[in-house]
Amino acid sequence: METESDDSLTGGFRYLIVRPENGGITDLLRSFGRGGEATAMKFVDCSDEELLGAVDHRWVISVSVIARKIISVFRKPMEWTGCLVEFLLNVFSHNGSLMGLLYNLLHGKVVIPQRGSDTFISAIGHLDGRIDLYKRSRDLVMKLEVGDSAASGEQALMDLCIMAAKLAYENANVVRNIVVHHWKMHFVNFYNGWNDFQKRYSTQVFILCDKHKDANLIVISFRGTEPFDADDWSTDFDYSWYEIPKLGKVHVGFLEALGLGERGNAATFQVHLQVDARKKLPPSGKLERTAYYGVRDKLKSLLMEHKKAKFIVTGHSLGGALAILFPTVLLLHEEKEVMRRLLGVYTFGQPRVGNQQLGKFMEAHLGHPIPKYFRVVYCNDLVPRLPYDDDTFLYKHFGLCLYYDSCYIQQKMDEEPNRNYFGIRYLIPEYLNAVWELMRSIKMQGPDYKEGWLSIFLRVVGLALPGVSAHSPTNYVNSVRLGKDYVSGMPF
C-alpha cells in the first residue's frame, strides 16, 4: 500500500529504526572497538540525532543487528524445513503414525495430506494436539451478560482465549472446522492481512461469535510467531519504534503487521495513526485487506448486528502484541462506541510493544475502573523479555501480568522476573528449570496433559535454549488449566 508523502507529512513525528542492511560483519566488529559507537550508529536511522543521547548503545544495537542478520541467512532454509516438517507430521498423522505409514506403503494405500485442507495441521497444532474447550469455558460464554467483565482473569474465559490463540496458527479450513464442530460456535471470518514491509499477506487473524444470532461474545484471535517464519522471528528481535504524539512510542514491526505503515517510508505511519486516518487515505483495495482495517470494519458491523455482544481480543507471541495494539489504535481513532463493548484483552507470551508513555495511556483506558488487559507470562519464556528494556529503546510492559512458574503457580505482578532475560543470576536456574520441565513432560499423564514426542523434543532443545522451549503454547494451556493462586494454593 503506497501513500504519497510530502513535507507536511514528515513534520513533527519521531522514529528510530534499526537497519541491519546498512552494514556488514566488519562494521559490527568495528563497532566494539574504541570510538566504535559512531560505526554502530550506521545501523540506525532516526528522525533526530538527539534521540540517541550521550549513552553508549552499541551492545543493544549490535544484539538486534546480529540476531536479525543470522535469522535472514536462514530465511529460506527455515521456510523449506517448515514445509518439510509440517508435511511429514501430517503424513504420519494421516496414516496412523510411522507403523501405519509403513503398512499403507506396503498395501498401496498411503494418504497424502493436502496443504490448506481442514485436516492439514500446523507444527504448533502437532506440538499441542488439544482442540476442545473446557466445558466450563463454553458454559461461561452462554451465561455472559452485557454487564459482565473480564476482571480477575476468570479461568474459563482464559481457557477460551488461549485455545483461540493456539488455533490461530492453523489454516482457515481447520479453524472453521474446530470452531463449528468442536466448539459449537459461529465462525465469522478468517483474514490474511497485508504487510507492506514483508510485501505479502502474512498477518493471520480470525473472528468467531458464540452463536449465529443474538451473540453474547465476539472473539478476535491473532496468529503468533510461526516457528519456521524468519520474518516473524526478526520482528520479535527488532527494536525500531515510531512515536505517536500524546500516545507514546510503538514498535514499528507490529504496526507494519497490522497494515498501518511501512518503514521504507516512515511518513506512512503518520497517515494511518491519526483520528481521521481513513478520510485522508487514498482509495485502495489493499486497505480492506490489511489486518487492522479489515477486522475493525467487520467488528463494527458485528456489534451493530448483535446488540448485547461484547468482544475479546487475544493472541500468543506476536499475536499477543497485535492483540493489544488493535484496541490501542481503536482508541487513537476515537472508536468510542466500539471500545465501550470491549470485554477484555488476553495475551500469552507477548513481546513488549511500546514505551512507558504508551503504557500509561492504555492503563488509563483498560485499567480503570476494572482491569481489562491481562498479560500471561510463563516462567522463562524469552519472548516477553523482548525487545530489550533499556535507556535507548525504552520498551516497557504495562497491564496486569499473570506470571506462572514451572509448577503453574500464578502470581499477579507488574513485571515478570528477569525482565531482560540475560541476567547472570538467573542463568543457572534457567537451565536447571529446563531439566525439570523435560522430566515433567515425560511424567505427565492423562489425555489432556500427556505430551507427545514433538513436545518432548522441544523440551530437549530447551536444555540448550530454555527461553525458546518455554514459549511453547503447551505451557500456556497447562498454566491456565492447572494454575493455582500463589496465596491460596487453590485453583483460581
Side-chain angles (χ1 to χ4, degrees), residues 16 194 244 335:
L16 188 151
W194 177 257
I244 304 171
E335 296 285 356

Side-chain angles (χ1 to χ4, degrees), residues 270-320:
Q270 188 181 30
V271 174
H272 289 280
L273 299 173
Q274 50 189 316
V275 175
D276 54 351
R278 195 64 178 264
K279 297 177 182 178
K280 296 187 178 182
L281 288 167
S284 171
K286 285 184 181 177
L287 199 61
E288 281 68 30
R289 296 198 294 271
T290 62
Y292 172 75
Y293 290 108
V295 172
R296 184 189 71 172
D297 292 351
K298 187 61 180 179
L299 175 61
K300 291 171 76 172
S301 68
L302 286 171
L303 292 175
M304 289 183 64
E305 179 183 352
H306 304 286
K307 303 299 184 183
K308 298 187 300 180
K310 289 193 172 186
F311 73 98
I312 277 182
V313 195
T314 190
H316 169 261
S317 190
L318 169 64

Side-chain angles (χ1 to χ4, degrees), residues 71-87 115 200 226-231 233:
I71 291 170
S72 67
V73 168
F74 290 98
R75 176 176 282 105
K76 280 300 180 183
M78 286 175 67
E79 181 182 339
W80 298 333
T81 301
C83 289
L84 178 61
V85 168
E86 288 193 339
F87 178 76
R115 188 175 293 275
R200 61 191 178 106
E226 288 197 338
F228 299 102
D229 191 316
D231 289 328
W233 283 104

Side-chain angles (χ1 to χ4, degrees), residues 1-6 9-10 13 15 17 196-197 199 242 252 255-256 259-274 277 280-282 293:
M1 177 171 36
E2 296 182 0
T3 307
E4 293 184 5
S5 61
D6 52 37
L9 286 176
T10 58
F13 70 87
Y15 62 87
I17 298 175
D196 219 346
F197 175 64
K199 303 301 180 188
Y242 173 87
V252 163
L255 290 174
E256 289 172 324
L260 296 171
E262 194 265 306
R263 71 185 66 198
N265 180 7
T268 56
F269 293 110
Q270 188 181 30
V271 174
H272 289 280
L273 299 173
Q274 50 189 316
K280 296 187 178 182
L281 288 167
Y293 290 108

Side-chain angles (χ1 to χ4, degrees), residues 107-368:
H107 292 80
K109 297 180 180 179
V110 176
V111 180
I112 304 298
Q114 300 298 314
R115 188 175 293 275
S117 69
D118 61 1
T119 58
F120 194 95
I121 306 301
S122 71
I124 294 294
H126 283 283
L127 187 67
D128 189 310
R130 292 171 287 191
I131 57 175
D132 291 322
L133 302 174
Y134 261 20
K135 182 178 183 298
R136 59 176 175 267
S137 300
R138 175 66 184 170
D139 293 342
L140 169 79
V141 172
M142 300 301 292
K143 295 175 182 177
L144 278 173
E145 299 293 342
V146 176
D148 290 339
S149 75
S152 78
E154 215 287 340
Q155 187 181 22
L157 199 57
M158 288 174 64
D159 183 70
L160 171 62
C161 288
I162 182 55
M163 294 303 288
K166 189 167 76 74
L167 184 59
Y169 287 94
E170 307 300 335
N171 68 62
N173 289 315
V174 171
V175 173
R176 181 193 301 270
N177 179 56
I178 291 177
V179 168
V180 173
H181 298 293
H182 289 265
W183 298 358
K184 307 300 180 184
M185 296 184 184
H186 174 57
F187 173 79
V188 176
N189 210 343
F190 183 96
Y191 299 85
N192 254 328
W194 177 257
N195 185 317
D196 219 346
F197 175 64
Q198 296 181 7
K199 303 301 180 188
R200 61 191 178 106
Y201 294 96
S202 58
T203 304
Q204 294 180 1
V205 52
F206 74 89
I207 304 176
L208 67 84
C209 295
D210 64 314
K211 49 190 175 182
H212 182 62
K213 292 185 177 181
D214 299 321
N216 292 316
L217 182 66
I218 299 166
V219 178
I220 301 168
S221 180
F222 287 89
R223 191 212 71 197
T225 304
E226 288 197 338
F228 299 102
D229 191 316
D231 289 328
D232 282 358
W233 283 104
S234 183
T235 298
D236 288 336
F237 282 94
D238 185 6
Y239 295 162
S240 307
W241 53 258
Y242 173 87
E243 185 172 23
I244 304 171
K246 299 181 181 180
L247 191 71
K249 298 184 175 88
V250 185
H251 190 287
V252 163
F254 302 150
L255 290 174
E256 289 172 324
L258 287 173
L260 296 171
E262 194 265 306
R263 71 185 66 198
N265 180 7
T268 56
F269 293 110
Q270 188 181 30
V271 174
H272 289 280
L273 299 173
Q274 50 189 316
V275 175
D276 54 351
R278 195 64 178 264
K279 297 177 182 178
K280 296 187 178 182
L281 288 167
S284 171
K286 285 184 181 177
L287 199 61
E288 281 68 30
R289 296 198 294 271
T290 62
Y292 172 75
Y293 290 108
V295 172
R296 184 189 71 172
D297 292 351
K298 187 61 180 179
L299 175 61
K300 291 171 76 172
S301 68
L302 286 171
L303 292 175
M304 289 183 64
E305 179 183 352
H306 304 286
K307 303 299 184 183
K308 298 187 300 180
K310 289 193 172 186
F311 73 98
I312 277 182
V313 195
T314 190
H316 169 261
S317 190
L318 169 64
L322 303 185
I324 185 57
L325 281 182
F326 179 72
T328 301
V329 182
L330 288 177
L331 286 168
L332 179 67
H333 288 169
E334 295 188 352
E335 296 285 356
K336 297 178 182 178
E337 291 302 316
V338 174
M339 288 301 295
R340 285 193 185 100
R341 310 276 289 276
L342 175 66
L343 181 63
V345 179
Y346 285 85
T347 70
F348 304 87
Q350 169 216 311
R352 298 182 178 101
V353 298
N355 68 347
Q356 190 172 36
Q357 183 183 356
L358 176 71
K360 289 180 178 179
F361 174 85
M362 290 305 295
E363 286 177 344
H365 290 87
L366 299 185
H368 305 283

